[in-house]
Amino acid sequence: SQQGEEDPQALSIQEGENATMNCSYKTSINNLQWYRQNSGRGLVHLILIRSNEREKHSGRLRVTLDTSKKSSSLLITASRAADTASYFCATDRRGGKLIFGQGTELSVKP
Amino acid sequence: DTGVSQDPRHKITKRGQNVTFRCDPISEHNRLYWYRQTLGQGPEFLTYFQNEAQLEKSRLLSDRFSAERPKGSFSTLEIQRTEQGDSAMYLCASSPTLGLAGTDTQYFGPGTRLTVL
């Protein structure tokens, strides 16, 4: 069963706007990762945040983690049409396997 | 740097047939994972290997499914007597051994899309 739940399930914005996606999970974690998936393709790793970290940046991406609320958010700033994809959060408990949420489908209109 | 590769990319089969998929991980990665993804859902964990040892299997992996990694390099996933419910994208991922800093990231292949008619 899925551990994470993303919110919203779908998001449509204009190019240049910021996109925020949220992820909630149920049990304690080792780390949380965000992945991107273009239609019908494999997953591309975006960013990993460890359970003892609160915020992390990578280029136009900003991830926050609140372990007390068991939630994380992914912010994409100055979005581009090429950011159109599905975004998944995945949690990792000790042992390595990832538990994915159902994803947020982001559409960035030019 | 070659990434994770999977073969075939697409497979169409008739119900009841057996199919086998192959995954070649990134060469220095000791861990190899299999996931299954159905339309509109996130990937679901199936099984993973540390070198040639299969360390965990999901209850999703019925006795019709078997995975091997005989020499700790490539892996195969076989589905016997396929059913229509097996239609999905089968994803393989690899990662270095856990315990080293910054090595929890899993790198995914492009997937094998299975359609069972």
Side-chain angles (χ1 to χ4, degrees), chain A residues 1-2 30-31 33 35 37 39-45 48 50 88 92-103, chain B residues 31 33 35 37 40-45 48 56 59 89 91 98 100-111 113:
Chain A
S1 63
Q2 306 288 359
N30 183 42
N31 64 56
Q33 304 182 48
Y35 285 83
Q37 185 176 39
S39 179
R41 298 191 175 184
L43 285 86
V44 174
H45 181 262
L48 179 153
R50 299 193 183 280
F88 295 92
D92 170 16
R93 300 168 67 185
R94 297 303 288 181
K97 71 180 184 185
L98 294 177
I99 308 296
F100 285 84
Q102 292 187 319
Chain B
R31 289 208 167 195
Y33 306 81
Y35 295 85
Q37 184 178 26
Q41 301 294 315
E44 293 179 295
F45 169 78
Y48 82 91
E56 186 173 350
R59 63 178 183 271
M89 175 81 89
L91 295 162
L98 291 183
L100 300 174
T103 58
D104 297 316
T105 299
Q106 293 183 22
Y107 299 87
F108 282 79
R113 183 171 296 282

Side-chain angles (χ1 to χ4, degrees), chain A residues 64-110:
Chain A
T64 62
L65 179 64
D66 187 336
T67 53
S68 67
K69 294 182 179 178
K70 293 187 171 57
S71 67
S72 173
S73 68
L74 171 67
L75 169 67
I76 304 174
T77 60
S79 63
R80 306 166 182 168
D83 294 328
T84 294
S86 293
Y87 291 81
F88 295 92
C89 69
T91 54
D92 170 16
R93 300 168 67 185
R94 297 303 288 181
K97 71 180 184 185
L98 294 177
I99 308 296
F100 285 84
Q102 292 187 319
T104 292
E105 193 173 327
L106 174 65
S107 175
V108 182
K109 300 185 186 307

Side-chain angles (χ1 to χ4, degrees), chain A residues 43-57:
Chain A
L43 285 86
V44 174
H45 181 262
L46 296 177
I47 198 165
L48 179 153
I49 186 166
R50 299 193 183 280
S51 60
N52 61 356
E53 297 175 313
R54 292 295 167 259
E55 186 170 317
K56 205 162 183 179
H57 297 253

